[in-house]
PDB file of all heavy atoms in Angstrom:
ATOM      1  N   GLU T 525     108.803  69.435  71.263  1.00 87.00           N
ATOM      2  CA  GLU T 525     107.979  68.924  72.351  1.00 87.00           C
ATOM      3  C   GLU T 525     108.126  69.782  73.612  1.00 87.00           C
ATOM      4  O   GLU T 525     107.146  70.122  74.277  1.00 87.00           O
ATOM      5  CB  GLU T 525     108.341  67.463  72.678  1.00 87.00           C
ATOM      6  CG  GLU T 525     107.925  66.474  71.613  1.00 87.00           C
ATOM      7  CD  GLU T 525     108.897  66.415  70.436  1.00 87.00           C
ATOM      8  OE1 GLU T 525     109.977  67.051  70.483  1.00 87.00           O
ATOM      9  OE2 GLU T 525     108.573  65.723  69.465  1.00 87.00           O
ATOM     10  N   ILE T 526     109.368  70.145  73.921  1.00 90.00           N
ATOM     11  CA  ILE T 526     109.615  70.970  75.108  1.00 90.00           C
ATOM     12  C   ILE T 526     108.980  72.333  74.948  1.00 90.00           C
ATOM     13  O   ILE T 526     108.307  72.834  75.850  1.00 90.00           O
ATOM     14  CB  ILE T 526     111.123  71.090  75.354  1.00 90.00           C
ATOM     15  CG1 ILE T 526     111.705  69.741  75.800  1.00 90.00           C
ATOM     16  CG2 ILE T 526     111.425  72.164  76.419  1.00 90.00           C
ATOM     17  CD1 ILE T 526     113.221  69.687  75.842  1.00 90.00           C
ATOM     18  N   MET T 527     109.181  72.960  73.796  1.00 88.00           N
ATOM     19  CA  MET T 527     108.582  74.284  73.572  1.00 88.00           C
ATOM     20  C   MET T 527     107.079  74.227  73.518  1.00 88.00           C
ATOM     21  O   MET T 527     106.395  75.166  73.933  1.00 88.00           O
ATOM     22  CB  MET T 527     109.135  74.926  72.292  1.00 88.00           C
ATOM     23  CG  MET T 527     110.513  75.536  72.480  1.00 88.00           C
ATOM     24  SD  MET T 527     110.632  76.606  73.922  1.00 88.00           S
ATOM     25  CE  MET T 527     109.559  77.945  73.482  1.00 88.00           C
ATOM     26  N   GLY T 528     106.528  73.129  73.027  1.00 87.00           N
ATOM     27  CA  GLY T 528     105.073  72.959  73.050  1.00 87.00           C
ATOM     28  C   GLY T 528     104.543  72.921  74.457  1.00 87.00           C
ATOM     29  O   GLY T 528     103.537  73.559  74.789  1.00 87.00           O
ATOM     30  N   ALA T 529     105.248  72.202  75.328  1.00 92.00           N
ATOM     31  CA  ALA T 529     104.853  72.146  76.738  1.00 92.00           C
ATOM     32  C   ALA T 529     104.997  73.501  77.411  1.00 92.00           C
ATOM     33  O   ALA T 529     104.107  73.943  78.145  1.00 92.00           O
ATOM     34  CB  ALA T 529     105.693  71.087  77.468  1.00 92.00           C
ATOM     35  N   VAL T 530     106.121  74.164  77.138  1.00 92.00           N
ATOM     36  CA  VAL T 530     106.344  75.494  77.733  1.00 92.00           C
ATOM     37  C   VAL T 530     105.275  76.476  77.259  1.00 92.00           C
ATOM     38  O   VAL T 530     104.746  77.268  78.038  1.00 92.00           O
ATOM     39  CB  VAL T 530     107.767  76.008  77.417  1.00 92.00           C
ATOM     40  CG1 VAL T 530     107.935  77.487  77.773  1.00 92.00           C
ATOM     41  CG2 VAL T 530     108.815  75.156  78.125  1.00 92.00           C
ATOM     42  N   ALA T 531     104.975  76.436  75.956  1.00 91.00           N
ATOM     43  CA  ALA T 531     103.965  77.345  75.402  1.00 91.00           C
ATOM     44  C   ALA T 531     102.580  77.051  75.997  1.00 91.00           C
ATOM     45  O   ALA T 531     101.829  77.977  76.267  1.00 91.00           O
ATOM     46  CB  ALA T 531     103.904  77.214  73.878  1.00 91.00           C
ATOM     47  N   SER T 532     102.286  75.792  76.245  1.00 94.00           N
ATOM     48  CA  SER T 532     101.004  75.443  76.864  1.00 94.00           C
ATOM     49  C   SER T 532     100.914  75.974  78.276  1.00 94.00           C
ATOM     50  O   SER T 532      99.893  76.548  78.678  1.00 94.00           O
ATOM     51  CB  SER T 532     100.826  73.924  76.878  1.00 94.00           C
ATOM     52  OG  SER T 532     100.747  73.421  75.553  1.00 94.00           O
ATOM     53  N   ILE T 533     101.982  75.806  79.043  1.00 96.00           N
ATOM     54  CA  ILE T 533     102.011  76.318  80.415  1.00 96.00           C
ATOM     55  C   ILE T 533     101.905  77.840  80.415  1.00 96.00           C
ATOM     56  O   ILE T 533     101.150  78.417  81.194  1.00 96.00           O
ATOM     57  CB  ILE T 533     103.270  75.840  81.143  1.00 96.00           C
ATOM     58  CG1 ILE T 533     103.208  74.321  81.354  1.00 96.00           C
ATOM     59  CG2 ILE T 533     103.464  76.574  82.479  1.00 96.00           C
ATOM     60  CD1 ILE T 533     104.519  73.711  81.798  1.00 96.00           C
ATOM     61  N   ALA T 534     102.657  78.470  79.507  1.00 96.00           N
ATOM     62  CA  ALA T 534     102.608  79.945  79.406  1.00 96.00           C
ATOM     63  C   ALA T 534     101.193  80.398  79.022  1.00 96.00           C
ATOM     64  O   ALA T 534     100.709  81.412  79.539  1.00 96.00           O
ATOM     65  CB  ALA T 534     103.622  80.447  78.384  1.00 96.00           C
ATOM     66  N   GLY T 535     100.536  79.650  78.149  1.00 95.00           N
ATOM     67  CA  GLY T 535      99.168  79.986  77.760  1.00 95.00           C
ATOM     68  C   GLY T 535      98.205  79.931  78.946  1.00 95.00           C
ATOM     69  O   GLY T 535      97.353  80.809  79.105  1.00 95.00           O
ATOM     70  N   VAL T 536      98.375  78.920  79.784  1.00 96.00           N
ATOM     71  CA  VAL T 536      97.530  78.814  80.979  1.00 96.00           C
ATOM     72  C   VAL T 536      97.804  79.981  81.917  1.00 96.00           C
ATOM     73  O   VAL T 536      96.886  80.613  82.429  1.00 96.00           O
ATOM     74  CB  VAL T 536      97.764  77.444  81.685  1.00 96.00           C
ATOM     75  CG1 VAL T 536      97.092  77.427  83.044  1.00 96.00           C
ATOM     76  CG2 VAL T 536      97.251  76.315  80.824  1.00 96.00           C
ATOM     77  N   VAL T 537      99.095  80.288  82.141  1.00 95.00           N
ATOM     78  CA  VAL T 537      99.454  81.387  83.028  1.00 95.00           C
ATOM     79  C   VAL T 537      98.896  82.712  82.510  1.00 95.00           C
ATOM     80  O   VAL T 537      98.317  83.503  83.268  1.00 95.00           O
ATOM     81  CB  VAL T 537     100.993  81.476  83.205  1.00 95.00           C
ATOM     82  CG1 VAL T 537     101.405  82.763  83.889  1.00 95.00           C
ATOM     83  CG2 VAL T 537     101.519  80.257  83.970  1.00 95.00           C
ATOM     84  N   LEU T 538      99.033  82.954  81.203  1.00 97.00           N
ATOM     85  CA  LEU T 538      98.517  84.195  80.626  1.00 97.00           C
ATOM     86  C   LEU T 538      96.986  84.256  80.699  1.00 97.00           C
ATOM     87  O   LEU T 538      96.428  85.342  80.912  1.00 97.00           O
ATOM     88  CB  LEU T 538      98.997  84.333  79.182  1.00 97.00           C
ATOM     89  CG  LEU T 538     100.509  84.588  79.040  1.00 97.00           C
ATOM     90  CD1 LEU T 538     100.943  84.494  77.584  1.00 97.00           C
ATOM     91  CD2 LEU T 538     100.923  85.914  79.637  1.00 97.00           C
ATOM     92  N   THR T 539      96.326  83.126  80.559  1.00 96.00           N
ATOM     93  CA  THR T 539      94.869  83.116  80.691  1.00 96.00           C
ATOM     94  C   THR T 539      94.459  83.443  82.135  1.00 96.00           C
ATOM     95  O   THR T 539      93.510  84.208  82.357  1.00 96.00           O
ATOM     96  CB  THR T 539      94.298  81.733  80.275  1.00 96.00           C
ATOM     97  OG1 THR T 539      94.664  81.492  78.918  1.00 96.00           O
ATOM     98  CG2 THR T 539      92.800  81.698  80.428  1.00 96.00           C
ATOM     99  N   VAL T 540      95.194  82.915  83.106  1.00 94.00           N
ATOM    100  CA  VAL T 540      94.906  83.230  84.503  1.00 94.00           C
ATOM    101  C   VAL T 540      95.123  84.719  84.745  1.00 94.00           C
ATOM    102  O   VAL T 540      94.311  85.378  85.430  1.00 94.00           O
ATOM    103  CB  VAL T 540      95.779  82.367  85.449  1.00 94.00           C
ATOM    104  CG1 VAL T 540      95.698  82.854  86.884  1.00 94.00           C
ATOM    105  CG2 VAL T 540      95.361  80.904  85.382  1.00 94.00           C
ATOM    106  N   LEU T 541      96.201  85.293  84.199  1.00 96.00           N
ATOM    107  CA  LEU T 541      96.458  86.726  84.359  1.00 96.00           C
ATOM    108  C   LEU T 541      95.344  87.554  83.720  1.00 96.00           C
ATOM    109  O   LEU T 541      94.922  88.569  84.266  1.00 96.00           O
ATOM    110  CB  LEU T 541      97.809  87.105  83.758  1.00 96.00           C
ATOM    111  CG  LEU T 541      99.047  86.529  84.439  1.00 96.00           C
ATOM    112  CD1 LEU T 541     100.307  86.961  83.716  1.00 96.00           C
ATOM    113  CD2 LEU T 541      99.107  86.933  85.909  1.00 96.00           C
ATOM    114  N   LEU T 542      94.859  87.106  82.573  1.00 97.00           N
ATOM    115  CA  LEU T 542      93.759  87.811  81.906  1.00 97.00           C
ATOM    116  C   LEU T 542      92.528  87.810  82.801  1.00 97.00           C
ATOM    117  O   LEU T 542      91.883  88.849  82.971  1.00 97.00           O
ATOM    118  CB  LEU T 542      93.447  87.109  80.573  1.00 97.00           C
ATOM    119  CG  LEU T 542      92.260  87.637  79.801  1.00 97.00           C
ATOM    120  CD1 LEU T 542      92.669  87.918  78.353  1.00 97.00           C
ATOM    121  CD2 LEU T 542      91.132  86.643  79.847  1.00 97.00           C
ATOM    122  N   ILE T 543      92.218  86.683  83.385  1.00 95.00           N
ATOM    123  CA  ILE T 543      91.037  86.573  84.284  1.00 95.00           C
ATOM    124  C   ILE T 543      91.224  87.472  85.502  1.00 95.00           C
ATOM    125  O   ILE T 543      90.306  88.187  85.917  1.00 95.00           O
ATOM    126  CB  ILE T 543      90.799  85.102  84.669  1.00 95.00           C
ATOM    127  CG1 ILE T 543      90.336  84.317  83.442  1.00 95.00           C
ATOM    128  CG2 ILE T 543      89.779  85.000  85.799  1.00 95.00           C
ATOM    129  CD1 ILE T 543      90.363  82.818  83.617  1.00 95.00           C
ATOM    130  N   ILE T 544      92.424  87.464  86.099  1.00 95.00           N
ATOM    131  CA  ILE T 544      92.701  88.322  87.241  1.00 95.00           C
ATOM    132  C   ILE T 544      92.511  89.793  86.860  1.00 95.00           C
ATOM    133  O   ILE T 544      91.901  90.568  87.600  1.00 95.00           O
ATOM    134  CB  ILE T 544      94.122  88.086  87.775  1.00 95.00           C
ATOM    135  CG1 ILE T 544      94.218  86.711  88.425  1.00 95.00           C
ATOM    136  CG2 ILE T 544      94.531  89.168  88.776  1.00 95.00           C
ATOM    137  CD1 ILE T 544      95.641  86.277  88.783  1.00 95.00           C
ATOM    138  N   GLY T 545      93.010  90.189  85.688  1.00 96.00           N
ATOM    139  CA  GLY T 545      92.879  91.565  85.224  1.00 96.00           C
ATOM    140  C   GLY T 545      91.422  91.963  85.063  1.00 96.00           C
ATOM    141  O   GLY T 545      91.005  93.047  85.480  1.00 96.00           O
ATOM    142  N   ILE T 546      90.639  91.103  84.444  1.00 97.00           N
ATOM    143  CA  ILE T 546      89.219  91.389  84.239  1.00 97.00           C
ATOM    144  C   ILE T 546      88.495  91.507  85.594  1.00 97.00           C
ATOM    145  O   ILE T 546      87.697  92.418  85.811  1.00 97.00           O
ATOM    146  CB  ILE T 546      88.558  90.320  83.346  1.00 97.00           C
ATOM    147  CG1 ILE T 546      89.078  90.480  81.921  1.00 97.00           C
ATOM    148  CG2 ILE T 546      87.034  90.405  83.390  1.00 97.00           C
ATOM    149  CD1 ILE T 546      88.646  89.360  80.969  1.00 97.00           C
ATOM    150  N   ILE T 547      88.801  90.582  86.488  1.00 95.00           N
ATOM    151  CA  ILE T 547      88.164  90.636  87.821  1.00 95.00           C
ATOM    152  C   ILE T 547      88.536  91.922  88.539  1.00 95.00           C
ATOM    153  O   ILE T 547      87.684  92.601  89.122  1.00 95.00           O
ATOM    154  CB  ILE T 547      88.540  89.389  88.657  1.00 95.00           C
ATOM    155  CG1 ILE T 547      87.853  88.167  88.066  1.00 95.00           C
ATOM    156  CG2 ILE T 547      88.174  89.589  90.121  1.00 95.00           C
ATOM    157  CD1 ILE T 547      88.328  86.841  88.670  1.00 95.00           C
ATOM    158  N   ASN T 548      89.815  92.291  88.475  1.00 96.00           N
ATOM    159  CA  ASN T 548      90.264  93.542  89.109  1.00 96.00           C
ATOM    160  C   ASN T 548      89.502  94.739  88.521  1.00 96.00           C
ATOM    161  O   ASN T 548      89.039  95.613  89.242  1.00 96.00           O
ATOM    162  CB  ASN T 548      91.763  93.750  88.956  1.00 96.00           C
ATOM    163  CG  ASN T 548      92.565  92.880  89.888  1.00 96.00           C
ATOM    164  OD1 ASN T 548      92.071  92.357  90.862  1.00 96.00           O
ATOM    165  ND2 ASN T 548      93.851  92.742  89.575  1.00 96.00           N
ATOM    166  N   ALA T 549      89.418  94.803  87.195  1.00 97.00           N
ATOM    167  CA  ALA T 549      88.765  95.925  86.539  1.00 97.00           C
ATOM    168  C   ALA T 549      87.287  96.033  86.934  1.00 97.00           C
ATOM    169  O   ALA T 549      86.808  97.099  87.290  1.00 97.00           O
ATOM    170  CB  ALA T 549      88.889  95.805  85.007  1.00 97.00           C
ATOM    171  N   VAL T 550      86.581  94.918  86.889  1.00 97.00           N
ATOM    172  CA  VAL T 550      85.146  94.914  87.144  1.00 97.00           C
ATOM    173  C   VAL T 550      84.833  95.152  88.628  1.00 97.00           C
ATOM    174  O   VAL T 550      83.823  95.777  88.948  1.00 97.00           O
ATOM    175  CB  VAL T 550      84.518  93.587  86.644  1.00 97.00           C
ATOM    176  CG1 VAL T 550      83.083  93.451  87.076  1.00 97.00           C
ATOM    177  CG2 VAL T 550      84.641  93.498  85.136  1.00 97.00           C
ATOM    178  N   THR T 551      85.711  94.711  89.503  1.00 96.00           N
ATOM    179  CA  THR T 551      85.462  94.897  90.939  1.00 96.00           C
ATOM    180  C   THR T 551      85.984  96.230  91.454  1.00 96.00           C
ATOM    181  O   THR T 551      85.903  96.492  92.659  1.00 96.00           O
ATOM    182  CB  THR T 551      86.059  93.744  91.773  1.00 96.00           C
ATOM    183  OG1 THR T 551      87.466  93.674  91.529  1.00 96.00           O
ATOM    184  CG2 THR T 551      85.378  92.430  91.456  1.00 96.00           C
ATOM    185  N   GLY T 552      86.526  97.043  90.569  1.00 97.00           N
ATOM    186  CA  GLY T 552      86.942  98.365  90.959  1.00 97.00           C
ATOM    187  C   GLY T 552      88.313  98.418  91.623  1.00 97.00           C
ATOM    188  O   GLY T 552      88.597  99.325  92.386  1.00 97.00           O
ATOM    189  N   LYS T 553      89.176  97.483  91.310  1.00 96.00           N
ATOM    190  CA  LYS T 553      90.518  97.460  91.878  1.00 96.00           C
ATOM    191  C   LYS T 553      91.531  97.891  90.850  1.00 96.00           C
ATOM    192  O   LYS T 553      91.465  97.486  89.679  1.00 96.00           O
ATOM    193  CB  LYS T 553      90.879  96.068  92.372  1.00 96.00           C
ATOM    194  CG  LYS T 553      90.071  95.606  93.555  1.00 96.00           C
ATOM    195  CD  LYS T 553      90.505  94.226  93.971  1.00 96.00           C
ATOM    196  CE  LYS T 553      89.577  93.697  95.068  1.00 96.00           C
ATOM    197  NZ  LYS T 553      89.782  92.301  95.272  1.00 96.00           N
ATOM    198  N   ALA T 554      92.485  98.697  91.249  1.00 96.00           N
ATOM    199  CA  ALA T 554      93.603  99.094  90.402  1.00 96.00           C
ATOM    200  C   ALA T 554      94.834  98.387  90.979  1.00 96.00           C
ATOM    201  O   ALA T 554      95.668  98.997  91.637  1.00 96.00           O
ATOM    202  CB  ALA T 554      93.786 100.595  90.380  1.00 96.00           C
ATOM    203  N   LYS T 555      94.913  97.091  90.742  1.00 95.00           N
ATOM    204  CA  LYS T 555      95.973  96.265  91.304  1.00 95.00           C
ATOM    205  C   LYS T 555      96.797  95.679  90.184  1.00 95.00           C
ATOM    206  O   LYS T 555      96.238  95.165  89.210  1.00 95.00           O
ATOM    207  CB  LYS T 555      95.341  95.165  92.166  1.00 95.00           C
ATOM    208  CG  LYS T 555      96.323  94.403  93.004  1.00 95.00           C
ATOM    209  CD  LYS T 555      95.605  93.504  93.964  1.00 95.00           C
ATOM    210  CE  LYS T 555      96.673  92.789  94.782  1.00 95.00           C
ATOM    211  NZ  LYS T 555      96.127  91.791  95.644  1.00 95.00           N
ATOM    212  N   GLU T 556      98.131  95.759  90.326  1.00 95.00           N
ATOM    213  CA  GLU T 556      99.009  95.228  89.286  1.00 95.00           C
ATOM    214  C   GLU T 556      98.789  93.731  89.109  1.00 95.00           C
ATOM    215  O   GLU T 556      98.520  93.008  90.075  1.00 95.00           O
ATOM    216  CB  GLU T 556     100.477  95.458  89.670  1.00 95.00           C
ATOM    217  CG  GLU T 556     100.933  96.873  89.572  1.00 95.00           C
ATOM    218  CD  GLU T 556     102.388  97.048  89.973  1.00 95.00           C
ATOM    219  OE1 GLU T 556     102.962  96.150  90.615  1.00 95.00           O
ATOM    220  OE2 GLU T 556     102.941  98.105  89.653  1.00 95.00           O
ATOM    221  N   LEU T 557      98.962  93.280  87.856  1.00 96.00           N
ATOM    222  CA  LEU T 557      98.887  91.858  87.594  1.00 96.00           C
ATOM    223  C   LEU T 557     100.162  91.184  88.119  1.00 96.00           C
ATOM    224  O   LEU T 557     101.231  91.792  88.104  1.00 96.00           O
ATOM    225  CB  LEU T 557      98.795  91.597  86.083  1.00 96.00           C
ATOM    226  CG  LEU T 557      97.520  92.029  85.394  1.00 96.00           C
ATOM    227  CD1 LEU T 557      97.659  91.834  83.888  1.00 96.00           C
ATOM    228  CD2 LEU T 557      96.340  91.248  85.929  1.00 96.00           C
ATOM    229  N   PRO T 558     100.050  89.937  88.588  1.00 95.00           N
ATOM    230  CA  PRO T 558     101.265  89.213  88.946  1.00 95.00           C
ATOM    231  C   PRO T 558     102.165  89.038  87.705  1.00 95.00           C
ATOM    232  O   PRO T 558     101.670  89.018  86.572  1.00 95.00           O
ATOM    233  CB  PRO T 558     100.748  87.854  89.409  1.00 95.00           C
ATOM    234  CG  PRO T 558      99.337  88.087  89.805  1.00 95.00           C
ATOM    235  CD  PRO T 558      98.842  89.173  88.893  1.00 95.00           C
ATOM    236  N   ILE T 559     103.422  88.952  87.879  1.00 93.00           N
ATOM    237  CA  ILE T 559     104.464  88.707  86.884  1.00 93.00           C
ATOM    238  C   ILE T 559     104.676  89.892  85.939  1.00 93.00           C
ATOM    239  O   ILE T 559     105.760  90.453  85.865  1.00 93.00           O
ATOM    240  CB  ILE T 559     104.220  87.428  86.064  1.00 93.00           C
ATOM    241  CG1 ILE T 559     104.075  86.211  86.995  1.00 93.00           C
ATOM    242  CG2 ILE T 559     105.346  87.190  85.039  1.00 93.00           C
ATOM    243  CD1 ILE T 559     103.548  84.967  86.327  1.00 93.00           C
ATOM    244  N   VAL T 560     103.640  90.311  85.191  1.00 95.00           N
ATOM    245  CA  VAL T 560     103.804  91.345  84.162  1.00 95.00           C
ATOM    246  C   VAL T 560     103.367  92.742  84.606  1.00 95.00           C
ATOM    247  O   VAL T 560     103.601  93.713  83.903  1.00 95.00           O
ATOM    248  CB  VAL T 560     103.035  90.983  82.867  1.00 95.00           C
ATOM    249  CG1 VAL T 560     103.534  89.663  82.291  1.00 95.00           C
ATOM    250  CG2 VAL T 560     101.539  90.916  83.099  1.00 95.00           C
ATOM    251  N   GLY T 561     102.760  92.842  85.748  1.00 92.00           N
ATOM    252  CA  GLY T 561     102.162  94.116  86.196  1.00 92.00           C
ATOM    253  C   GLY T 561     103.156  95.215  86.470  1.00 92.00           C
ATOM    254  O   GLY T 561     102.822  96.404  86.340  1.00 92.00           O
ATOM    255  N   LYS T 562     104.362  94.893  86.841  1.00 91.00           N
ATOM    256  CA  LYS T 562     105.337  95.914  87.184  1.00 91.00           C
ATOM    257  C   LYS T 562     106.004  96.536  85.939  1.00 91.00           C
ATOM    258  O   LYS T 562     106.686  97.545  86.053  1.00 91.00           O
ATOM    259  CB  LYS T 562     106.425  95.297  88.062  1.00 91.00           C
ATOM    260  CG  LYS T 562     105.931  94.976  89.447  1.00 91.00           C
ATOM    261  CD  LYS T 562     107.081  94.605  90.350  1.00 91.00           C
ATOM    262  CE  LYS T 562     106.662  94.160  91.719  1.00 91.00           C
ATOM    263  NZ  LYS T 562     105.774  94.987  92.440  1.00 91.00           N
ATOM    264  N   TRP T 563     105.843  95.917  84.806  1.00 91.00           N
ATOM    265  CA  TRP T 563     106.459  96.451  83.588  1.00 91.00           C
ATOM    266  C   TRP T 563     105.893  97.833  83.314  1.00 91.00           C
ATOM    267  O   TRP T 563     104.690  98.067  83.381  1.00 91.00           O
ATOM    268  CB  TRP T 563     106.185  95.574  82.383  1.00 91.00           C
ATOM    269  CG  TRP T 563     106.694  94.177  82.496  1.00 91.00           C
ATOM    270  CD1 TRP T 563     107.550  93.663  83.456  1.00 91.00           C
ATOM    271  CD2 TRP T 563     106.377  93.089  81.636  1.00 91.00           C
ATOM    272  NE1 TRP T 563     107.776  92.332  83.211  1.00 91.00           N
ATOM    273  CE2 TRP T 563     107.078  91.953  82.088  1.00 91.00           C
ATOM    274  CE3 TRP T 563     105.587  92.966  80.496  1.00 91.00           C
ATOM    275  CZ2 TRP T 563     106.990  90.727  81.461  1.00 91.00           C
ATOM    276  CZ3 TRP T 563     105.513  91.755  79.876  1.00 91.00           C
ATOM    277  CH2 TRP T 563     106.205  90.633  80.352  1.00 91.00           C
ATOM    278  N   LYS T 564     106.758  98.757  83.015  1.00 88.00           N
ATOM    279  CA  LYS T 564     106.327 100.140  82.676  1.00 88.00           C
ATOM    280  C   LYS T 564     106.584 100.384  81.192  1.00 88.00           C
ATOM    281  O   LYS T 564     107.384 101.233  80.804  1.00 88.00           O
ATOM    282  CB  LYS T 564     107.083 101.154  83.549  1.00 88.00           C
ATOM    283  CG  LYS T 564     106.884 100.969  85.030  1.00 88.00           C
ATOM    284  CD  LYS T 564     105.436 101.147  85.430  1.00 88.00           C
ATOM    285  CE  LYS T 564     105.290 100.957  86.923  1.00 88.00           C
ATOM    286  NZ  LYS T 564     103.977 100.580  87.349  1.00 88.00           N
ATOM    287  N   ILE T 565     105.917  99.616  80.364  1.00 87.00           N
ATOM    288  CA  ILE T 565     106.110  99.698  78.918  1.00 87.00           C
ATOM    289  C   ILE T 565     105.387 100.901  78.349  1.00 87.00           C
ATOM    290  O   ILE T 565     105.896 101.636  77.533  1.00 87.00           O
ATOM    291  CB  ILE T 565     105.649  98.389  78.245  1.00 87.00           C
ATOM    292  CG1 ILE T 565     106.530  97.241  78.743  1.00 87.00           C
ATOM    293  CG2 ILE T 565     105.694  98.521  76.741  1.00 87.00           C
ATOM    294  CD1 ILE T 565     106.082  95.902  78.371  1.00 87.00           C
ATOM    295  N   VAL T 566     104.156 101.095  78.812  1.00 79.00           N
ATOM    296  CA  VAL T 566     103.335 102.207  78.311  1.00 79.00           C
ATOM    297  C   VAL T 566     102.919 103.065  79.492  1.00 79.00           C
ATOM    298  O   VAL T 566     102.356 102.591  80.464  1.00 79.00           O
ATOM    299  CB  VAL T 566     102.074 101.673  77.606  1.00 79.00           C
ATOM    300  CG1 VAL T 566     101.179 102.812  77.193  1.00 79.00           C
ATOM    301  CG2 VAL T 566     102.452 100.863  76.376  1.00 79.00           C
ATOM    302  N   ASN T 567     103.209 104.334  79.429  1.00 73.00           N
ATOM    303  CA  ASN T 567     102.724 105.288  80.413  1.00 73.00           C
ATOM    304  C   ASN T 567     101.542 106.018  79.806  1.00 73.00           C
ATOM    305  O   ASN T 567     101.628 107.163  79.422  1.00 73.00           O
ATOM    306  CB  ASN T 567     103.820 106.270  80.811  1.00 73.00           C
ATOM    307  CG  ASN T 567     104.542 105.860  82.034  1.00 73.00           C
ATOM    308  OD1 ASN T 567     104.076 104.996  82.772  1.00 73.00           O
ATOM    309  ND2 ASN T 567     105.701 106.417  82.250  1.00 73.00           N
TER     310      ASN T 567
END
């Protein structure tokens, strides 16, 4: 039950980040995403 709730919250947060990323891309902004944007996984 706890992990289901955490996964649901994480899903909402990730969906918001996805929307922010799309808005940034379409509006011509190169702005890091909140929370995950600073990760330098892929150069």
Side-chain angles (χ1 to χ4, degrees):
E525 290 81 6
I526 292 170
M527 281 310 295
V530 169
S532 296
I533 293 168
V536 169
V537 169
L538 292 171
T539 301
V540 168
L541 293 179
L542 176 130
I543 292 167
I544 291 170
I546 289 173
I547 290 171
N548 284 343
V550 172
T551 58
K553 293 181 186 167
K555 191 171 180 186
E556 288 179 344
L557 292 174
I559 304 167
V560 301
K562 290 190 185 308
W563 299 349
K564 302 297 180 204
I565 297 170
V566 175
N567 265 344

